[in-house]
Structures are given as C-alpha cells and as structure tokens.
Amino acid sequence: MSGPATTKAKVVRTYRNFIGGEWVASESTKTSLNVNPADWRDVMGLVPASTVDETRRAVDAAKAAFPAWRETPAPVRGRILFNAWTLMEKEREDLARLLTREEGKTFKESLGEVMRTVNILEYIAAEGRRLGGDTVPSELPKNFCYTIRQPLGVVACITPWNFPVAIPCWKIAPALVSGNTVVFKPATLTPETAAAVVSIFERAGIPRGVLNMVLGSGSTVGNALLEHPDVRAVSFTGSNEVGAEIYGRGARRMIRVQCEMGGKNPVVVLADADLDLAVESTAQGAFGSTGQRCTATSRVIVEEAIADRFVEALVARASRVRVGDGLKEGVEMGPAVDEAQLETDLKYIGIGEAEGAKLLCGGLRLSGDAFDNGYFVEPTVFDGVKTSMRIAQEEIFGPVISVIRVKDFDEALEAANSVRYGLSSAIFTSDTTRVFRFIDGIEAGIVHVNSGTPGGEAQLPFGGTKDTGVGPREQGKGAAEFFTELKAVYVDYTGQSRKSSIY
Ligand code: NDP
C-alpha cells in the first residue's frame, strides 16, 4: 500500500481563512494535504499552516467587531442563528456528503451529525429570547436586586476532527448568541467542512469580524490564540494531552477555559437484560463512526451468567459489519481518519494481545481493492479483559471493544468506574432498582438506560466528569453560562442614605 505522500494528485485549491468577513489566502507557503481517508487518491485540497500574525489579525477583527455585536439585541443575534439553522437544514445532504468524504464516517452518520447540529442551532437561536438573569429578593426594604448576563469579548473555539460540524456549532452558536465575537480554529484534518460551516454563518448574516476562522496547526494558531491578551475565553474539545496544556496556560492568564476531552465509555449488561438489544446497541456504540466518537462504547461489562451468550452474539454481529467507503450504499463503518489513527488502533490491538486479552475477531488492517488506498481496520472484539489492562484504561478512539466479565452488579459498577474518564455510560437491565443504583453511582456526565452510550439531544447538557471535562457543560439550557459574565445589580429606591447595612 502506498500513502498520500506518494500520490500524484491534481490539487485543486488551498483553503482560505475567514477574517473580518473576507475569505483571505494565507500568507504561509507551508501546507498539508487534505485527503479522503477512504481513498487518499481523492485529494480535496491544501491546508495552509497559517501564521501567528494571521491569528492576531483574526483576533483584532473579532475585537473590532465586538462593541457593535454586543449592542445588537440578543433576539436579533438569535434571528441570525435561525437563518443558519434554516440554511443548514436545506443544505444537509451536501454538507453530509462533504463530511463523509473528508472525515470518513458513513453518509448516514454524517446526516445524523448534521441534523443534530440543526437541532442545536434551533435550540441556541431561541436563547436570543431567553438569555437573562434572575430577579431576587433583597434583605433590605426598597432595594431591587437582579442579575444580568453579559458577553466576555473575543472567545476562541478550538475543535477536533471527529464531529467537525456539530462541535464547532455547539461552541460558536452559544458564544455568538451571548454577544461574544469568535475566532474559530478547526482541526487541520477537517478544514473543508469547517469552511462550509463558516460559510453558512456568513450567508446567515453574521456581521463582518463577528466570526473568524484560522486554519493551521494547534501549536502555532492554537498557541497564538491562547497567548493573545484580547482572547478572554477558550472553549476546547479534543484530547486530554492538549486539553491539559490549554487549561494550564489559560489558568496562568486568568482566563476562562472549558475543556471536553477523552472517554472510555462503559456499557453494563446485567443477566436480566434484553440480550438482542444489548448486543445491537453495544455493536453500534463500538463500531459506529469507526469508534471515533468521544461517546463510543469501548468497554462492555457483562454479568458472567450471560457472558458466553452475549460474546457469541457480539462477535457474530461484529463479523457482519460492512466496512468501506462511507459514501457507498450499505456500508456501516468507514475508515480511520488518517494513518496515525489507524496505527494507534493497530498498536492498541497489539497491546491487548500482549496483555493476555483474547482477540475474538478483527484486529487487522483491511486489504484488497476496496481498501488498499484507505485507512481501514476490522471491527475488533477482545474477551477476558481485566480492568487493569491498558486496553481497558486508555482511550483508543477506534473500533475496538473490550469485554470485561463480572460476577454481579456491584462488581460491574466498580469496573465501570475504574477509569480516569467520565463521559457517557449505559446499562441494560429490566431491574428498576439497579437502574437507579447505576444512575446514582456511575461516574459519568451522561447515563443511558437500555440504549447505547452515543447519542444525545440539544436541550440536555453534554460533557463529562473526572478527567473528561472541566468547566461548565456545553449544550442544554446552561450553554451560555460559559460565554457570559454574571453581573449583580442593586438598585436602592429609598431615596436616602441607608442608616445601616449588614456589609
Ligand atoms: P487534539 O487534542 O489532537 O486536537 C484538538 C484541537 O486542538 C485541534 O484543532 C488541534 O489542532 C488543536 N491543538 C493541538 N495542539 C494544540 C495546542 N498546543 N494548542 C492549542 N490547540 C491545539 O484532538 P483530536 O482532534 O485528535 O480529537 C480527538 C479527541 O477529541 C479524542 O480524545 C476525543 O475523545 C476528544 N473528543 C471529546 C469530545 C467531548 O465532548 N468530550 C467530543 C469529541 C472529541 P490540529 O488539528 O491542528 O492538531
């Protein structure tokens, strides 16, 4: 197999930055290839390695646009987001096709991501009419106390490649509706989808400079954003390694930082579960989006009494998953996003075998005509996994599932909580008592009962506990919290100086 570096391809264009309302070519001559991970001969474009100066220009544009945007009434800001909502829904199929071509997930999954984003835009746009503080009673007579929410200024949104439509929008939309201006730094692997998202906001009527996008590496563009004195907050989603660095640097500058990071999400299957449902949901959670979801199922913790039957059915299901180009009809699982992710998947499969876990199916890079020019790996199932093993502890971000056998519910809960992460979780059982004990005891930001670990709705908060997340939750009714300052207001209408005050 060759790789994209050896591909002689006709490169069609170099992507542009969006600064101050203009699509501008980067001044950098350094670029990287953007290829379709299902077939690297399909070269989509060149991604510029934009410079620190260009990043500063984007922040300057956002700063200049801030006063007018802050003064724009929130319902008017919301209306622009409603325009974006309408446009995205209308263009959903084209956007989904682009997303599949660039990131690799199947067309159906891409359409699902776009529609989830449409729902997020609808929900957040309406915040324009809801944003507000509280009116609270005073301990003093004739004293009117209330709070208002105000924007922070320029905020940076730094996003990963795996949900390149949804994640940027669930950051940008609440930032904008709250009156902030934004510099968006998308993942280098998904620049074209990022540009398509920005174009929707542009056509929706976002004023110049209110939303800016700079393409380029995390170390240059991301760093420049973190260091710029006019950036008042950073909303980041990505790996723990980068998140920890961003959080630390933001803290030193005393700015707000919100990080949503890795997961190692468990499904617990108890002996009284609907087995077919549990198997299908586990398979979809583990192999859907090629396992490249922060909410992917990577561990399934099964009560010993049904473990043999469960494993047999899971292996049969995994073996039936049709892998291929996500744009082809009937394909259920696309490629890894790039060579590096594919190597990570294969490396962890090797680690699992070396640790003594039983490889029951999968484990190999796929080869043959349909696969030789892409990054395809087989859906993989390990049995006999112990909680101490690295494959049970570390995020792989590939289609690899570890079966952990336990004797009862208590041991299942302990195993589920035995990792540093706490994003999503699921339990399959028909026992209500154990459902509620699981909801109480599971260390995760999201719990599903009798459905798989992925999935969520725009009106609920999204994010994790423990090492997965820091800062207020994204989405749901608290989405604007991170992007606003609360101001406490005391209006004294006694008309005279108070004789005494408690403070
Ligand atoms: P990375 O952490 O590698 O990158 C995320 C973003 O940060 C990219 O835009 C990247 O730029 C940028 N970046 C990299 N280095 C720096 C730096 N030093 N300073 C500032 N920015 C930087 O994550 P991935 O893109 O590989 O995404 C996969 C990860 O995201 C997984 O761990 C997954 O669990 C997590 N994730 C978490 C979610 C959640 O809500 N909890 C949701 C989705 C994904 P560049 O692309 O140029 O490297």
Side-chain angles (χ1 to χ4, degrees):
M1 289 178 205
S2 62
T6 60
T7 303
K8 285 203 184 95
K10 253 197 306 177
V11 171
V12 280
R13 64 182 151 145
T14 304
Y15 302 111
R16 290 169 177 248
N17 294 322
F18 187 66
I19 300 177
E22 305 284 344
W23 291 95
V24 285
S26 170
E27 62 199 16
S28 168
T29 51
K30 276 205 278 178
T31 55
S32 55
L33 279 182
N34 182 28
V35 300
N36 178 344
D39 183 349
W40 57 60
R41 294 167 303 179
D42 176 18
V43 178
M44 298 175 67
L46 289 172
V47 197
S50 301
T51 62
V52 170
D53 275 354
E54 289 170 294
T55 311
R56 288 195 186 129
R57 256 174 256 151
V59 177
D60 291 346
K63 189 182 179 193
F66 178 61
W69 186 241
R70 180 187 196 276
E71 290 306 312
T72 305
V76 177
R77 299 194 296 251
R79 211 169 297 141
I80 296 175
L81 295 187
F82 271 122
N83 295 343
W85 168 63
T86 313
L87 277 170
M88 191 175 286
E89 184 160 35
K90 208 165 108 208
E91 297 171 11
R92 62 188 181 276
E93 299 222 338
D94 287 345
L95 188 56
R97 222 167 277 118
L98 167 62
L99 170 48
T100 294
R101 191 175 157 218
E102 187 167 60
E103 195 267 352
K105 65 182 68 168
T106 66
F107 177 70
K108 201 170 151 205
E109 289 167 340
S110 292
L111 205 52
E113 177 178 344
V114 174
M115 288 316 292
R116 168 97 185 262
T117 313
V118 165
N119 296 343
I120 290 168
L121 288 174
E122 179 192 28
Y123 183 84
I124 299 292
E127 284 299 327
R129 292 198 177 269
R130 280 193 295 254
L131 270 181
D134 296 318
T135 305
V136 287
S138 171
E139 27 183 69
L140 301 172
K142 301 203 183 320
N143 199 28
F144 176 37
C145 302
Y146 68 102
T147 60
I148 51 172
R149 287 198 173 273
Q150 294 190 307
L152 307 175
V154 179
V155 303
C157 298
I158 303 179
T159 58
W161 48 264
N162 69 325
F163 278 85
V165 176
I167 296 176
C169 287
W170 80 48
K171 294 180 187 301
I172 291 169
L176 293 180
V177 83
S178 313
N180 302 281
T181 53
V182 172
V183 180
F184 166 38
K185 190 242 150 320
T188 300
L189 287 173
T190 46
E192 195 163 327
T193 307
V197 166
V198 169
S199 156
I200 285 175
F201 282 105
E202 180 194 16
R203 286 176 286 131
I206 289 289
R208 285 168 174 268
V210 169
L211 172 61
N212 306 273
M213 179 186 76
V214 186
L215 300 171
S217 78
S219 51
T220 303
V221 177
N223 267 348
L225 286 171
L226 270 160
E227 276 165 14
H228 199 296
D230 290 325
V231 171
R232 300 308 314 151
V234 179
S235 180
F236 167 83
T237 298
S239 64
N240 280 70
E241 201 188 1
V242 174
E245 171 74 17
I246 288 178
Y247 194 54
R249 296 180 57 192
R252 282 195 287 280
R253 275 200 49 222
M254 307 294 277
I255 61 170
R256 285 187 187 198
V257 179
Q258 171 184 54
C259 295
E260 282 301 332
M261 299 162 288
K264 193 72 192 167
N265 311 294
V267 159
V268 167
V269 184
L270 299 182
D272 61 2
D274 176 334
L275 210 63
D276 292 345
L277 176 67
V279 167
E280 184 56 30
S281 305
T282 302
Q284 284 182 18
F287 310 128
S289 295
T290 324
Q292 299 173 144
R293 273 195 290 225
C294 50
T295 54
T297 306
S298 56
R299 299 176 294 148
V300 56
I301 299 160
V302 192
E303 259 192 312
E304 189 61 71
I306 48 140
D308 286 343
R309 277 194 297 142
F310 178 88
V311 167
E312 192 186 334
L314 182 64
V315 168
R317 180 68 185 88
S319 313
R320 284 199 308 273
V321 171
R322 208 175 136 206
V323 184
D325 180 342
L327 286 172
K328 295 222 166 87
E329 197 64 43
V331 164
E332 280 181 280
M333 190 180 103
V337 73
D338 66 358
E339 183 83 43
Q341 183 58 53
L342 177 80
E343 277 169 11
T344 301
D345 298 349
L346 297 172
K347 179 187 87 180
Y348 272 103
I349 290 164
I351 289 171
E353 288 185 282
E355 285 178 313
K358 274 183 262 165
L359 179 63
L360 296 185
C361 75
L364 296 175
R365 181 173 191 168
L366 284 155
S367 57
D369 282 352
F371 305 116
D372 279 351
N373 297 303
Y375 308 111
F376 295 98
V377 63
E378 292 176 322
T380 299
V381 180
F382 277 108
D383 193 4
V385 177
K386 306 284 170 239
T387 53
S388 56
M389 291 180 180
R390 284 182 66 190
I391 55 166
Q393 289 291 326
E394 298 172 21
E395 186 182 49
I396 301 171
F397 226 49
V400 182
I401 178 99
S402 292
V403 179
I404 300 170
R405 294 171 178 241
V406 290
K407 68 173 190 307
D408 57 19
F409 172 81
D410 290 329
E411 208 178 292
L413 185 59
E414 195 183 325
N417 286 337
S418 68
V419 294
R420 62 189 281 226
Y421 300 108
L423 184 51
S424 190
S425 61
I427 185 164
F428 287 83
T429 177
S430 46
D431 179 337
T432 323
T433 308
R434 288 191 290 182
V435 164
F436 281 99
R437 283 176 58 204
F438 186 75
I439 294 168
D440 276 351
I442 188 70
E443 294 164 0
I446 302 165
V447 191
H448 293 272
V449 177
N450 292 325
S451 64
T453 55
E457 297 189 27
Q459 62 279 15
L460 274 85
F462 182 89
T465 60
K466 303 206 282 191
D467 284 4
T468 291
V470 284
R473 290 282 192 275
E474 303 191 87
Q475 302 179 60
K477 74 173 180 212
E481 198 184 308
F482 176 74
F483 296 103
T484 49
E485 291 281 9
L486 260 189
K487 190 175 274 180
V489 187
Y490 300 85
V491 182
D492 183 313
Y493 55 102
T494 55
Q496 51 196 289
S497 142
R498 288 195 190 275
K499 299 246 174 328
S500 68
S501 169
I502 292 170
Y503 304 108

